[in-house]
Amino acid sequence: MELARGASKGDDGAEALLGELEGLVQDVVRASSWWELHGVDCAILALSLLALPAGFLCLSSENVLVFAIGITILGVCHSTLTVKGSHLATHGALTKSKRWSKIWLLFFVEVCTAFTAEFGKFSHVNMHHGYTNVVGLGDSSTWKLPGLNRYVYMFLAPFLIPIITPLVALERLRKVELRIALRTLGLISLGLYSQYWLLLNVSGFRSPSSALACMLLIRALLAHPFLHVNIFQHIGLPMFSRDKKPQRIHMMTLGVLNLPRLPVLDWAFGHSLISCHVEHHLFPKLSDNMCLKVKPVVSRFLHEKQLPYQEDSYLARFRLFLNRYEELMVQAPLITEVVGLQ
């Protein structure tokens, strides 16, 4: 009975802390304009779409520098649409309209990313966010490939992400209704074929193989930091068992880490995946720009309440994973039992 009462007091205290923090964040949200809530991120996505013609035209040049600029434009724009766009659309952070949220989800996840919207949303929102760092549920174990050594995984495996993504989508389609499977197949095919057609007819590629190779290069341009960020910010932090997981505020502050601001990744992946990942896990419906805006409020509150606010550099995490790859990416994670958090 004493243990039960103690646990109840701890739960009540955690809920009170989260409620207090939510109140502070909501004050910032209510004082923000539409431009701050949604406009900034929508503008970044719109600029990425508008920059695509310039990228395809640059690829038609025989000048090596201009060609490289074209690859860079298309690669960064692709990552912005597929990572930032898909992430925001999955959380419904681009608009308050449910209809437009669905449209953007299908466009960014299926047309741009070549993945399935329903599974993407379920695995990310329901599982990863609902059970952050809970072993067997939201522990980021899908990113582990124990059969690969550290150098192959960290340096070579990212090149395969553009190929693996649609293949995983096809495998998942076996478990959905026929109409959804046909829609997803149609939208994925539209996205892939559109890029292929533009490379042949706008950029002037003369063979299918060269166009496909260019597609792979464009889609893999930022694949390395994409893979790294996904493992750096959760794996290696406390992991919890599903029957003893802590309250939400403790789960998110113990199991999530922020990286420093990195201009290219801030643009292409969004603040919520880089320097505001803690804020994003606490308030997943906020846009990237709003996560950045509430970051001082969240960090100050957590420090004042003596709660963890974990930060580390990209290079430090990279070295950690190279040095402790077997422990972090091959062996089963150690379970952390949270005791005395009230």
Side-chain angles (χ1 to χ4, degrees), residues 51-341:
L52 292 177
F56 284 108
L57 289 173
C58 284
L59 294 187
S60 65
S61 173
E62 295 182 0
N63 185 291
V64 175
L65 179 59
V66 176
F67 185 86
I69 291 173
I71 292 290
T72 303
I73 291 173
L74 292 177
V76 173
C77 289
H78 174 77
S79 291
T80 306
L81 297 173
T82 58
V83 181
K84 180 185 178 71
S86 294
H87 189 230
L88 291 174
T90 298
H91 285 285
L94 288 171
T95 175
K96 293 181 179 179
S97 167
K98 291 184 178 181
R99 181 183 179 185
W100 276 105
S101 290
K102 178 66 174 179
I103 292 172
W104 291 132
L105 179 67
L106 295 176
F107 174 72
F108 287 116
V109 177
E110 299 196 347
V111 177
C112 297
T113 310
F115 201 63
T116 167
E118 282 78 11
F119 178 74
K121 184 172 183 178
F122 174 79
S123 61
H124 184 73
V125 176
N126 295 64
M127 300 304 293
H128 176 62
H129 275 268
Y131 301 93
T132 300
N133 283 27
V134 176
V135 175
L137 294 174
D139 59 354
S140 301
S141 59
T142 53
W143 293 100
K144 295 184 178 183
L145 295 172
L148 300 182
N149 70 48
R150 68 195 67 199
Y151 300 106
V152 171
Y153 182 89
M154 298 293 282
F155 294 104
L156 298 180
F159 288 117
L160 296 177
I161 290 177
I163 299 172
I164 293 173
T165 300
L167 294 179
V168 172
L170 290 176
E171 190 277 330
R172 295 295 174 181
L173 290 182
R174 297 185 304 165
K175 303 175 183 178
V176 302
E177 297 177 23
L178 179 60
R179 63 180 182 85
I180 294 177
L182 292 174
R183 181 211 71 202
T184 300
L185 278 174
L187 292 178
I188 289 176
S189 300
L190 174 64
L192 293 173
Y193 184 74
S194 295
Q195 188 177 29
Y196 173 75
W197 186 90
L198 288 167
L199 288 171
L200 289 177
N201 294 279
V202 176
S203 301
F205 282 78
R206 296 177 181 176
S207 69
S209 59
S210 62
L212 291 173
C214 189
M215 283 179 65
L216 178 61
L217 179 59
I218 290 168
R219 290 171 175 257
L221 188 68
L222 293 180
H224 286 75
F226 175 71
L227 175 63
H228 296 163
V229 164
N230 274 284
I231 62 175
F232 289 174
Q233 294 181 310
H234 294 285
I235 297 175
L237 301 177
M239 295 282 172
F240 316 108
S241 63
R242 63 182 69 190
D243 57 334
K244 292 184 179 179
K245 61 184 179 70
Q247 289 295 301
R248 177 177 171 78
I249 192 168
H250 297 307
M251 184 190 299
M252 301 310 174
T253 54
L254 288 168
V256 185
L257 176 142
N258 283 346
L259 296 171
R261 294 194 64 178
L262 302 165
V264 174
L265 299 188
D266 284 344
W267 178 275
F269 295 173
H271 301 298
S272 61
L273 289 180
I274 306 299
S275 62
C276 303
H277 205 49
V278 174
E279 290 76 11
H280 169 64
H281 268 262
L282 286 167
F283 305 100
K285 291 188 178 297
L286 293 182
S287 64
D288 287 330
N289 184 64
M290 285 305 299
C291 282
L292 186 63
K293 186 174 181 180
V294 304
K295 181 181 175 74
V297 175
V298 174
S299 61
R300 182 169 58 249
F301 177 88
L302 295 181
H303 284 126
E304 288 175 354
K305 301 300 181 181
Q306 297 184 337
L307 290 168
Y309 187 75
Q310 306 199 71
E311 298 176 289
D312 204 356
S313 70
Y314 189 105
L315 184 57
R317 297 298 287 177
F318 188 84
R319 288 172 175 167
L320 175 71
F321 274 76
L322 274 185
N323 294 332
R324 296 171 54 189
Y325 180 83
E326 292 288 329
E327 175 190 344
L328 298 175
M329 300 297 292
V330 178
Q331 300 173 10
L334 297 174
I335 302 297
T336 299
E337 292 192 19
V338 180
V339 179
L341 288 177

